[in-house]
Amino acid sequence: MSIKDSIEKGAKAKVIESIISLLEKNPEKNVDRIFSLVRKLTKDEHQIEQIDVVYDMYKNNPATHKLVMNILTKTDRKCLKKFFTNFFANANWYAGPKREKYMKDENTKIPFVMLISPSMRCPLHCVGCYASNYSKEDDIPEEEVERLIKEARDLGIYWIIVLGGEPFVNKYLLDLYDKYDDMMFTPFTSGLFINEEVADRLKNAGNVFPMLSIEGFEKDTDARRGSGAYKKVTHAMDVLNDKGVLFGVSTAVTRTNIDTVLSDEFTDMLIERGSKMSWYFLFMPVGANPDFNMMLTAEQRVMLGRRTHEIRKTKPYFTIDFFNDAPFVGGCIAGKYYFHVNSKEDVEPCIFAHFSNVNVKGKHLIDAFRDPFFKELRRRQPYNKNMLLPCMMIDNTNVIREICSDVGAKPTDAGGEAMLHSKEFHEKIDKVAEEFKPLAEKEWKESFNEKGNDEFAKG
């Protein structure tokens, strides 16, 4: 490290210490000062612009102001401090240069976040869940999960999303959250195993931000996830809220539940129970027998994007629409800003893209990022000038077929096999893409002025 870099790192450390001190005392009374200090942590013009946008919303949008105050006043102090230190300081400002060095030295992109499925074991059998197509017997060994987490951190990846199956099936993960206390962990969970004892562990760790899966009110949630699922997941929300643990919810938006999950009544219920955000995912045609009938219609997909933005502006709540928010992150982020290690240790570009060229049993994570598969994905992004058509599987359906053929990537399950080689699948998904395209073109022009995040698109 050069003297200049050493001085800059030392200066950042002092700024971070000042922010942490404010977070531990009276953060709600020092918001302006915290934002001012955060601006000093980066010279990246795009990051500074994003910070200023959030600050402007905090100052001028009552809903955003209330959300920030809710987070600062109702979150356990350790959880609040860890969220800032691990997610913002470590994952962004400290680890960013580590990741960038690989790009500069060898044109290898290190993603920002790792998704990992240590096990596909789960007591539920949710309709359309990709996890149902994997073996329930072949867990990644505990020591191997830890190796991958450590390797990720060494590469500059400080945010780990834990999937499955059900993450809380493997209790040893709680010990890993404690051990790697400079990282942020986000388990996507049914909430079935979150009780007082587990919630206390999460509160004491401080570095875990659970996302609870819910599909609407009791009728819709139980219809997809099984009888009693709604009561258990809402109970988990109440327990986490009482402890001051930050959490959000994840929802697979389908043709039948969209009106409910986007309603004021449902969103207000989540806010009341302490959720700070909703992450909406389109129902995807995955698995050996994909269900196209549950996918959103073209009109519903546009509605989801518009309503996501409306909730974000009018309620003290943060919403992310994984597909309709794509213009803000330059289109598809698969294999570029995030990736998935499945329970067989195949490295996939996306949780819905079941294709791989590298299995990391006996190999290093860096091997996957150096492989032609991930590099070709990045080279071709964005797959469409219209970033409301970001996906290589449901929007630009030829892309996944072409890339896998070009680099020799193989499907990791029956659903991936169908996506590449089934004529019937091709006909159905191509029809879905064609139906959405004209509406996406109209929305791209009217709502985004045909502009997306070109800098992010470059990777």
Side-chain angles (χ1 to χ4, degrees), residues 395-411:
D395 295 321
N396 310 284
T397 56
N398 62 305
V399 172
I400 188 60
R401 304 166 199 168
E402 292 173 1
I403 292 180
C404 286
S405 176
D406 290 346
V407 303
K410 300 293 190 294

Side-chain angles (χ1 to χ4, degrees), residues 3 13 52 55 68 182 204 228 240 242 253 263 265 320 329 365:
I3 294 176
D52 289 343
Y55 182 58
V68 172
D182 60 342
N204 291 334
L240 293 172
D242 288 343
V253 187
S263 68
E265 183 184 8
I320 300 177
V329 291
L365 274 178

Side-chain angles (χ1 to χ4, degrees), residues 20 22-28 71-83 203 206 243-244:
I20 291 173
L22 293 174
L23 291 174
E24 289 179 327
K25 296 174 183 176
N26 296 306
E28 66 276 13
I71 292 172
L72 294 178
T73 59
K74 296 181 180 180
T75 305
D76 173 77
R77 285 290 186 263
K78 184 175 183 180
C79 293
L80 189 62
K81 183 178 74 172
K82 284 288 186 179
F83 181 63
K203 177 180 178 178
K243 305 289 183 184

